[in-house]
Amino acid sequence: SDGRVVVPMVRLGTYFAGAMPNEGALDPEWQAKLEATVKAFADAGVYVLLDNHQDAMATTNGGAGLPWWMTAYMQETAGEVPGCWLACSKKDSY
């Protein structure tokens, strides 16, 4: 043996869009299901790494992840970030 310790662990993907489909509060049903899932793993001695995942940002562009209301807000206010368009328009700025 090389002395390494094996730790039972699962990477559990979650989506912010599921947690907060409407602005302002977590969805209590989603939260209860998440807590039950984490508890089931804990009861089996398995550590849980929550992965607040997003795939192609949001449903507004064919993916999953951020709630629609959040990406809509980001799109509505994108031009309000000082210097954003100036910095992003320069070819070598990124």
Side-chain angles (χ1 to χ4, degrees):
S1 171
D2 61 9
R4 289 187 280 182
V5 177
V6 176
V7 177
M9 180 240 168
V10 64
R11 177 180 160 201
L12 182 62
T14 61
Y15 287 116
F16 190 31
M20 193 179 286
N22 299 303
E23 187 174 0
L26 288 176
D27 179 282
E29 184 177 334
W30 181 92
Q31 185 175 359
K33 288 178 182 179
L34 177 64
E35 289 174 4
T37 301
V38 171
K39 184 178 182 326
F41 278 116
D43 290 347
V46 177
Y47 288 88
V48 175
L49 171 69
L50 290 179
D51 178 5
N52 188 16
H53 198 70
Q54 59 86 18
D55 182 33
M57 189 59 97
T59 56
T60 55
N61 67 340
L66 297 178
W68 69 269
W69 58 265
M70 183 177 284
T71 55
Y73 174 78
M74 292 165 67
Q75 291 170 356
E76 291 168 8
T77 60
E80 297 174 18
V81 178
C84 177
W85 297 114
L86 178 61
C88 295
S89 66
K90 294 180 180 177
K91 184 177 180 182
D92 298 327
S93 66
Y94 45 90

